[in-house]
Amino acid sequence: MTALVAVGTHVPPGRVPIESLADEFDLTPMQLRVFRRYHKLGSAAQAPGTSLTELLRLALADLRLTTAQTERVRYVLYARTFPGVVPYPHNPLHEVCRSFGLQHAQAFAVGHHACASGLLALDLAGRLLATAPPDALALVLTGEKAFTGEARFVPETSMFGEGAAACLVAATGPSDRQLSYVARLRGEFDGELEEVAGEFQRVYHDALGEAVTTAVARAGLSLDDIALILPHNVNVVAWQRVCKRIGYPLDRVLLDHVADYGHVFCADAFLNHRTAVERALLRPGDRYVIAAAGAGRGATFSAMVFEH
């Protein structure tokens, strides 16, 4: 059973307010007010002078791997939202592996689930470790730069922030154990954004809610057994609607970072995990859900249940 051993994170101190995007994306004063007051999105974390390689290095450094752990890492999976995150021929994943003495590990990117690719990478890491030596470990890295218009802003929905997370994964262990995983793939949303956006928004809350409730049921639990949901930080109103659909208390969804960090690509859930642990929001034995949705060449609605 896959275990989440430890999580390292990095969020840069710099913030960009939503108003800074007004000219580039033709946002009206009314649209800006909607973002701040309705979606609760005020700013996003950004580090203009920091490369993607450095963001990933800082998150991995925060993990504080021991020499013994480094030697046991067999796989390094980089979960990303976009197919291309740096210009050719740069490869931040392999640069990071060299920096931390991980050249012996098999390193590759995981995508195609957009912002839900972090959960896909966790599940894949567990599957790979299930056939590896018992003491083998895997690393899942997440985090991207808001380097294009598409990677900075989602019209009427969210703004992207920069940051990174690194997760150490084992095949089994006493730490956070994965109990279930659900990924719903919706190929009908493979099209230009303006063509599919309306229908995507129409089904979004029901589809994400169904992924959460199915993952909980597959873990042999009910929503009453779930202490906390660690969401992707797309906006607050989206989670208000999902919670209303499934009958789950909104105050048990960790939304503290939406207004400050923005939507940090695949790293959201792990940044929220770090906060939940630091604030003692999870007690030993608590079950919690990590949930995410991704759009791009189709759509994915995913949820994963863990026991802390």
Side-chain angles (χ1 to χ4, degrees):
M1 187 173 292
T2 307
L4 190 58
V5 178
V7 175
T9 62
H10 173 72
V11 180
R15 298 292 182 270
V16 175
I18 181 66
E19 288 78 9
S20 69
L21 304 181
D23 290 341
E24 181 179 354
F25 295 99
D26 295 323
L27 301 177
T28 66
M30 177 59 74
Q31 287 174 310
L32 293 174
R33 285 195 293 271
V34 167
F35 264 94
R36 279 199 174 272
R37 299 178 185 178
Y38 185 60
H39 293 310
K40 309 299 183 186
L41 279 162
S43 65
Q46 293 211 352
T50 303
S51 68
L52 175 55
T53 300
E54 187 61 18
L55 282 178
L56 296 175
R57 280 179 182 148
L58 288 166
L60 188 49
D62 186 58
L63 201 54
R64 296 179 175 86
L65 292 176
T66 66
T67 301
Q69 287 174 326
T70 300
E71 293 172 351
R72 290 163 54 197
V73 172
R74 195 176 183 95
Y75 306 101
V76 182
L77 295 76
Y78 175 32
R80 62 194 194 194
T81 296
F82 292 103
V85 293
V86 292
Y88 177 85
H90 300 289
N91 192 318
L93 174 59
H94 292 295
E95 291 171 12
V96 169
C97 286
R98 284 193 294 271
S99 297
F100 287 85
L102 292 164
Q103 301 95 315
H104 60 279
Q106 297 183 45
F108 55 94
V110 176
H112 301 296
H113 285 196
C115 292
S117 295
L119 298 186
L120 174 64
L122 279 180
D123 185 67
L124 179 56
R127 292 173 183 270
L128 290 169
L129 290 172
T131 61
D135 65 341
L137 298 169
L139 281 171
V140 173
L141 303 179
T142 61
E144 291 165 57
K145 293 286 288 183
F147 68 111
T148 66
E150 185 181 1
R152 295 178 65 203
F153 184 69
V154 183
E156 301 181 15
T157 303
S158 192
M159 61 188 296
F160 285 102
E162 297 179 349
C167 307
L168 186 63
V169 181
T172 187
S175 56
D176 292 29
R177 298 182 302 119
Q178 179 188 330
L179 304 182
S180 68
Y181 171 54
V182 168
R184 300 298 197 214
L185 307 183
R186 302 289 293 268
E188 69 267 33
F189 295 110
D190 182 10
E192 296 298 327
L193 179 62
E194 59 271 18
E195 297 173 355
V196 301
E199 181 65 10
F200 177 75
Q201 291 296 336
R202 189 186 70 79
V203 307
Y204 178 95
H205 310 97
D206 287 329
L208 185 54
E210 188 274 336
V212 170
T213 55
T214 302
V216 171
R218 285 188 182 177
L221 305 170
S222 71
L223 285 173
D224 290 337
D225 300 315
I226 302 302
L228 197 66
I229 290 180
L230 305 180
H232 67 310
N233 297 340
V234 60
N235 63 54
V236 170
V237 73
W239 280 101
Q240 289 173 337
R241 293 176 177 174
V242 170
C243 287
K244 184 176 181 180
R245 298 284 203 288
I246 65 176
Y248 189 80
L250 184 66
D251 60 4
R252 283 158 57 187
V253 182
L254 184 55
L255 295 167
D256 300 42
H257 297 312
V258 172
D260 185 37
Y261 292 178
H263 179 18
V264 192
F265 303 98
C266 296
D268 281 343
F270 309 114
L271 299 177
N272 289 329
H273 182 279
R274 180 65 170 269
T275 297
V277 171
E278 289 179 345
R279 296 182 185 174
L281 301 178
L282 291 171
R283 298 169 298 177
D286 278 351
R287 286 74 170 261
Y288 62 93
V289 170
I290 296 177
R297 299 304 178 191
T300 304
F301 300 92
S302 299
M304 190 173 275
V305 179
F306 284 89
E307 181 177 309
H308 187 57

